[in-house]
Amino acid sequence: GVISLDSVPPKALDLALHTARSCRWDDVGIDICEHEGRYYVLEANMKYGKEGFRKAGIDYTQLMETLIENGKI
């Protein structure tokens, strides 16, 4: 995978949040694709890898701690 820090389109984010909440997931990787203006969930992974973060030079644990401390998640 590739880490992108681009903004997530609002409709994709809404779908991801709806999917996670409906399934009562609180830590999940959700793959979403867009086709002809519609967003679709391809898969969800409870045990997603963190290799992409490492390759991008991002400390995943520190990132999560910062987001939690700042009330972002």
Side-chain angles (χ1 to χ4, degrees):
V2 175
I3 297 295
S4 170
L5 300 178
D6 295 343
S7 296
V8 176
K11 288 183 179 181
L13 182 57
D14 290 344
L15 177 58
L17 291 171
H18 172 75
T19 301
R21 288 177 180 144
S22 294
C23 295
R24 297 185 179 156
W25 293 330
D26 61 0
D27 187 13
V28 62
I30 300 176
D31 294 348
I32 295 175
C33 76
E34 181 268 333
H35 177 70
E36 296 182 356
R38 295 191 63 187
Y39 290 90
Y40 299 89
V41 173
L42 298 178
E43 68 174 333
N45 300 290
M46 299 300 288
K47 301 287 183 187
Y48 53 89
K50 296 175 181 72
E51 181 65 16
F53 289 96
R54 188 189 66 74
K55 284 183 178 180
I58 298 170
D59 182 331
Y60 177 81
T61 302
Q62 181 61 48
L63 174 64
M64 291 298 109
E65 288 174 357
T66 300
L67 291 172
I68 291 167
E69 287 172 0
N70 293 335
K72 303 253 178 159
I73 60 172

